[in-house]
Amino acid sequence: MSDTVLQSLNAGVLQLTLNRPDKLNSFNEEMHLALRAGIQRAHDDAEVRAVLLTGSGRGFCAGQDLGDRDPRKGGPAPDLGHTLDTFYNPTLRLIRALEKPVVCAVNGVAAGAGANIAFACDIVLAARSAKFIQAFAKIGLVPDAGGTWNLARILGEPRAKALALTAEPLPAEKAADWGLIWKAVEDADLLAEATALASSLAAGPTLGLGLTKRLIQAAATTSLDEQLDLERDCQRTAGRSADYAEGVTAFLEKRKPEFRGQ
Ligand code: T3D
């Protein structure tokens, strides 16, 4: 297992820690593959019932490692469409397709694809000192890793365009005010708070939570009629789960439910 992404599984929470702190956890090929392997494990391993993504050191992730893109080394211009297809996009799709909650604890600066990977997670907490930067404009690229989709959808065109065209840092608190992330918390409390949240989700009715994630994501592209049909189908599935039976029984018995994720 690569040490560029640390993995630890505790009480159903798979913590994935981006771990190239000297480079602000920017992505080289090894870290790409290690992150993807971590998310894939969350798909495959029934013991994993929530994911917590964070970074080591003072940054969350500075996007692509630009040392690997140094034009001074010569050779033809890289095909960045190919690198998106090969590295970033499969990981983004895996995070979205994972029917388990993904909590992101943004512990410091999140720039370029680093910011947009955070925005692709389900619940994002950020340290008050963290900032989000659409750094692409500074180097002649376009926002990727789903950034144009998330920013335009969540913020609307005026704010999305201003952030992307100026590459101005967006402080965590403002990102929370604008609805881009769930909340900003004191730096010292970030990991404990994010872990508590992920743990409580991991102890939840995993199947129902996964279907809920599917439904909310689907709403970006469905009509109300289609969405009502999808809700009906998912509710039918949730209604047959052991966790639903346990949830109702626990309510009637006035006790805390013990969900098993089934
Ligand atoms: O290529 C493809 O496959 C296409 C996909 C592209 C996706 C992308 O993400 S493109 C955008 C790439 N990212 C950036 O342009 C951000 C570059 N970094 C920065 O602008 C700044 O580092 C930050 C604003 C993120 C943080 O600034 P600051 O002042 O807090 O830290 P620093 O001093 O700039 O960085 C600390 C160290 O990390 C430094 O190394 P050193 O001098 O101590 O040895 C710096 O070079 C290194 N570092 C930071 N970001 C990157 C990086 N090294 C390589 N690649 C980076 N992206």
Side-chain angles (χ1 to χ4, degrees), residues 18-209:
L18 306 176
N19 189 39
R20 300 183 71 228
D22 295 349
K23 304 279 183 193
L24 294 183
N25 303 319
S26 57
F27 277 98
N28 62 4
E29 291 192 4
E30 185 181 344
M31 195 173 96
H32 271 297
L33 296 178
L35 177 60
R36 196 185 314 162
I39 309 284
Q40 188 61 54
R41 175 178 174 191
H43 275 264
D44 298 341
D45 184 346
E47 278 191 42
V48 176
R49 291 172 61 187
V51 173
L52 172 57
L53 176 64
T54 191
S56 62
R58 73 174 176 90
F60 171 67
C61 175
Q64 177 61 39
D65 186 327
L66 296 178
D68 290 350
R69 298 283 180 266
D70 185 349
R72 296 168 303 181
K73 289 180 184 161
D79 176 355
L80 300 187
H82 177 74
T83 72
L84 292 185
D85 265 345
T86 309
F87 294 110
Y88 288 96
N89 293 350
T91 299
L92 263 291
R93 291 188 170 112
L94 268 186
I95 292 172
R96 297 278 297 179
L98 178 64
E99 295 208 336
K100 298 173 185 178
V102 181
V103 174
C104 185
V106 179
N107 52 299
V109 65
N116 294 336
I117 284 173
F119 298 145
C121 296
D122 300 318
I123 305 184
V124 185
L125 278 65
R128 220 171 277 288
S129 67
K131 54 196 172 180
F132 298 89
I133 310 174
Q134 295 297 314
F136 309 90
K138 298 255 187 213
I139 55 170
L141 292 185
V142 303
D144 57 21
T148 54
W149 192 77
N150 271 320
L151 293 177
R153 213 165 49 94
I154 298 166
L155 300 180
E157 282 195 23
R159 283 172 171 169
K161 283 178 181 162
L163 285 179
L165 296 175
T166 66
E168 203 175 283
L170 181 70
E173 215 146 339
K174 202 163 180 182
D177 289 346
W178 285 6
L180 257 180
I181 66 168
W182 174 235
K183 60 176 162 175
V185 303
E186 293 308 321
D187 288 24
D189 299 338
L190 176 72
L191 196 57
E193 210 169 306
T195 304
L197 173 61
S199 302
S200 108
L201 291 165
T206 310
L207 188 130
L209 298 182

Side-chain angles (χ1 to χ4, degrees), residues 3-8 15-19 52-56:
D3 65 3
T4 56
V5 176
L6 307 175
Q7 292 192 17
S8 64
Q15 181 170 329
L16 300 174
T17 306
L18 306 176
N19 189 39
L52 172 57
L53 176 64
T54 191
S56 62

